[in-house]
Amino acid sequence: MKRWIDVIILIILIILILPSLLVLIFSKRSPDAPPPHVNSYHEGDRIEVKESHINYQEPTITLYNHYTKTLESMPMEEYVVGVVAAEMPSAFEMEALKAQAVAARTLAARKLRSKGGSGCTKHKGADVCSQFNHCQAWIPESQQRKNWGDKYEENRKRIQQAVQETRGYIITYEGKPIEVFFYSTSNGKTEDVAEVFSASLPYYKVVESPGEEDAPRYRETFSFTYDEFIRIFRSKYPNSDLSAANLERQIEILSWTDSGRVRDLRVGNTRIKATEFRSLYGLNSTDFTFRFDQGKVYIDTTGYGHGVGMSQIGANAMAREGKDYRDILKHYYTGVEIQILP
Ligand SMILES: [Zn+2]
């Protein structure tokens, strides 16, 4: 009888212990399995990063560095880090930084001479130059250190992450890199490219760009004395009939674009495009109105930049709403695809 009891106890023990033993034995990692956290990008990007590793042949880019006035060759992704560092505040949301990285890479991809691009048309032998008003801004690591001071490590890491997580990706339309335009702050809408650069491109439509009202340069006022205003105008139009006594009646906005920006205006006997007027007076944008008070002209502007394509402040607002960099780019560039640089 006692022997039976022993057997039953033994069976119960086996039933209780065996599953734990099995789990212990089979949960051991095979020595060939990769260690955890290799390529541990954000979960959502895992497939994308894998794809880019397979398809992306990172090109070398030749840059005209206007700080040293020399040509420098470097891997594309290293170049893009220097562009994002120059073009967007590093404190912006990660998805906005990623959208900027893809835009920067796209602009460079289109100019790459090894891919049939024109290169920088100002500096012979360069694919791109580092001048913001020609190709796009780029700053060397030494300048990044200077700009960021003791935040250098932290900021650089954020920008490297944005570049790494979009590695190889560009914006395309019908399989080709698009002509990229971006700027700081919109007036609530983007501008049709034809209003600014007199070229029609199908991926630039007027779209809403909300959430920018709190940006530092969303609304600004420029003021000129009547005499200053006339002097500036005559520097370009010496035969202008402007006069301080009559100025208020001599300025008239003639038409607006679909995005609410000024298209053209009359200043004295001259009809002038708003884009030209903006650059003549150094205004933030072509969304402006006039006020006249006690011998001064006040020009109130909304937004900062030409308004074509992605607004950086708008991209940051979208990122804060939970949109990712693809949503952001596809919002500002109509009908485009995001794909690996072929
Ligand atoms: Zn250039």
Side-chain angles (χ1 to χ4, degrees):
M1 192 60 192
K2 195 166 179 284
R3 182 166 285 197
W4 276 109
I5 289 170
D6 282 350
V7 169
I8 288 168
I9 287 172
L10 188 66
I11 289 170
I12 288 171
L13 276 175
I14 286 171
I15 288 170
L16 283 174
I17 290 168
L18 193 65
S20 311
L21 268 174
L22 283 173
V23 167
L24 265 174
I25 290 162
F26 286 99
S27 70
K28 274 200 157 179
R29 299 178 63 83
S30 126
D32 293 325
H37 308 306
V38 164
N39 288 343
S40 65
Y41 303 95
H42 287 312
E43 205 56 44
D45 289 334
R46 196 158 277 177
I47 293 165
E48 168 185 316
V49 169
K50 210 169 157 192
E51 185 193 333
S52 73
H53 279 300
I54 295 166
N55 296 333
Y56 184 45
Q57 303 274 330
E58 184 178 0
T60 296
I61 189 162
T62 303
L63 167 77
Y64 175 79
N65 178 346
H66 81 270
Y67 293 89
T68 56
K69 297 189 169 54
T70 54
L71 289 174
E72 273 178 46
S73 288
M74 62 187 77
M76 174 66 109
E77 300 304 308
E78 191 186 318
Y79 164 74
V80 175
V81 169
V83 176
V84 180
E87 293 278 11
M88 186 176 263
S90 55
F92 271 30
E93 298 286 328
M94 183 52 66
E95 292 304 316
L97 291 170
K98 285 160 77 170
Q100 183 69 62
V102 176
R105 193 181 291 109
T106 305
L107 190 146
R110 197 178 158 96
K111 286 180 180 288
L112 271 181
R113 292 160 306 156
S114 61
K115 306 272 182 191
S118 63
C120 168
T121 50
K122 199 170 158 189
H123 299 96
K124 215 176 160 213
D127 292 306
V128 287
C129 72
S130 56
Q131 279 164 314
F132 78 94
N133 54 1
H134 195 251
C135 290
Q136 63 184 344
W138 170 91
I139 52 173
E141 217 182 318
S142 57
Q143 189 64 39
Q144 295 165 29
R145 280 182 194 278
K146 238 183 248 172
N147 291 358
W148 291 329
D150 53 10
K151 285 213 150 191
Y152 169 76
E153 297 288 343
E154 182 191 331
N155 289 349
R156 187 162 164 92
K157 240 180 229 163
R158 274 180 68 72
I159 286 170
Q160 280 173 327
Q161 183 187 342
V163 173
Q164 171 77 301
E165 289 182 6
T166 59
R167 184 179 155 79
Y169 275 90
I170 61 166
I171 313 161
T172 62
Y173 188 83
E174 292 176 346
K176 296 211 170 73
I178 68 165
E179 185 156 354
V180 173
F181 298 106
F182 55 84
Y183 55 95
S184 166
T185 312
S186 87
N187 67 343
K189 283 183 177 176
T190 68
E191 184 60 292
D192 185 330
V193 68
E195 302 282 3
V196 182
F197 299 108
S198 57
S200 184
L201 295 166
Y203 35 88
Y204 286 108
K205 307 255 188 253
V206 175
V207 298
E208 303 284 329
S209 186
E212 304 194 42
E213 299 76 12
D214 296 332
R217 306 197 77 172
Y218 182 71
R219 269 195 219 287
E220 281 192 316
T221 298
F222 295 75
S223 69
F224 306 88
T225 65
Y226 283 11
D227 287 344
E228 273 172 346
F229 185 91
I230 292 169
R231 186 173 46 75
I232 292 169
F233 200 76
R234 289 221 175 106
S235 70
K236 181 127 195 219
Y237 298 96
N239 299 325
S240 170
D241 64 345
L242 282 182
S243 80
N246 249 343
L247 194 61
E248 208 172 325
R249 272 162 292 163
Q250 287 186 300
I251 299 174
E252 184 193 3
I253 292 174
L254 298 174
S255 66
W256 287 265
T257 69
D258 290 345
S259 73
R261 292 168 176 88
V262 177
R263 180 183 288 128
D264 56 0
L265 62 161
R266 186 179 59 77
V267 183
N269 54 4
T270 311
R271 190 183 174 119
I272 175 172
K273 281 180 78 177
T275 46
E276 192 189 334
F277 185 80
R278 177 194 168 204
S279 73
L280 189 56
Y281 286 91
L283 305 177
N284 281 358
S285 79
T286 53
D287 183 337
F288 53 77
T289 54
F290 292 96
R291 286 182 290 128
F292 303 87
D293 191 33
Q294 307 202 351
K296 276 192 160 184
V297 188
Y298 294 90
I299 308 177
D300 300 311
T301 60
T302 306
Y304 182 42
H306 50 58
V308 179
M310 182 177 73
S311 156
Q312 294 171 314
I313 296 283
N316 202 38
M318 283 186 75
R320 244 188 251 132
E321 299 274 301
K323 301 286 194 289
D324 70 16
Y325 75 95
R326 291 166 181 270
D327 300 330
I328 294 170
L329 294 169
K330 288 187 169 195
H331 173 73
Y332 285 109
Y333 306 101
T334 307
V336 300
E337 297 299 330
I338 313 298
Q339 64 172 87
I340 292 292
L341 173 62

